[in-house]
Every structure is written in structure tokens, then in C-alpha cells.
Amino acid sequence: MIKDILKDLLKNSYSPYSKYQVACVIKAKDGKLFYGVNVENKSSKDGLCAEQVAISSAVSSGYKKSDLDNIFIMGSGEKIIVPCFLCRQLLNEFFCGETIIFCYNNGRDEKQFKIKDLCPYDFNNDFISDSKYI
Ligand code: THU
């Protein structure tokens, strides 16, 4: 079960600074799973979120937006995690608006969101396609 995988994956998180572990699983339409955990750094701006790591893994394996099905994240705290805003932009890039993101806390309580609901007023291709140098 994905929740068990997430719980197990939390142990791989490298989060000595925040002490907040995050795990992410991406399920592709062919059933393949991609994993990510947060990977922190003394230089805090260099830290990676679990979603970034999982998406990078899927993309590096040749998977495209149209190949990806669902995304699951778990945080080690009491509150059910929601993706940070940097990750929302990334999720918006690699998942359709209708895709469900399943979010959990350490007790496996669940909330579900559609990517489009997490990303209102998004910066999307419309801005770039009609842009001009002036
Ligand atoms: N974190 C994630 O991995 N994903 C998110 O969407 C929210 C925040 C990580 C980053 C950092 O390692 C820790 O949680 C605390 O901010």
C-alpha cells in the first residue's frame, strides 16, 4: 500500500536541520513508482523537497506529463502536509490540473486536492506564448 511505502520512505529523508521528514511517491500510468524524500543542506537554499526529487526521478527515467497518474506525499508532523509553493509550480508543470494529490500526516490521515485547486492564477504557457521583446 502506498501509505506504507511513504511511511518507510520517510526514514530516508535527510532533514537534520528542520527535523521534518517528507516522502513523495509518484505513480505512473504503467504502475511504475518513483520515490523522493527531502534532502536538506547547511546552505538552506540548496535543499530539495521530496516532490522535486520524485519528479526529477520520473523525468530522468523518460516519463512525461502524460505518463504520470497520481502523486502522494507524507510529512512526519501531526498536520497533514500540503506542497510548498515552489513545488506547486513544479507539480503544475508535470501533472494535469485534474490530477489528484494525496496528502498525509505521520498518522496516515489523508486529504486530497486537485492540482488545479492548489495552483489558482498560475503562471502558465499563455504568458510566454504571446510575449514580445519591447
Ligand atoms: N518540504 C518538502 O519536502 N516538500 C514540501 O512541499 C514542503 C516542504 C521539506 C523542505 C524542508 O526539507 C522541510 O520540508 C521543512 O521545510
Side-chain angles (χ1 to χ4, degrees), residues 21-82:
Q21 298 156 296
V22 186
C24 177
V25 173
I26 290 172
K27 189 161 75 59
K29 289 179 182 157
D30 65 4
K32 187 149 171 49
L33 301 178
F34 296 96
Y35 303 135
V37 293
N38 55 334
V39 182
E40 297 185 347
N41 193 285
K42 271 186 241 337
S43 169
S44 57
K45 65 184 186 308
D46 287 341
L48 296 168
C49 286
E51 297 93 319
Q52 292 175 282
V53 175
I55 288 172
S56 304
S57 171
V59 171
S60 309
S61 300
Y63 282 69
K64 313 251 176 305
K65 184 170 186 160
S66 54
D67 302 322
L68 303 178
D69 203 5
N70 288 122
I71 178 154
F72 306 82
I73 56 173
M74 181 181 280
S76 61
E78 301 277 298
K79 274 180 78 106
I80 296 176
I81 189 171
V82 289

Side-chain angles (χ1 to χ4, degrees), residues 1 3 6 17 44 57 66-67 90 108:
M1 201 171 173
K3 278 195 255 187
L6 284 165
Y17 305 106
S44 57
S57 171
S66 54
D67 302 322
L90 192 65
R108 305 170 195 230

Side-chain angles (χ1 to χ4, degrees), residues 9-21:
L9 204 55
L10 282 181
K11 296 177 196 145
N12 295 344
S13 157
Y14 179 74
S15 44
Y17 305 106
S18 74
K19 314 265 195 299
Y20 182 68
Q21 298 156 296

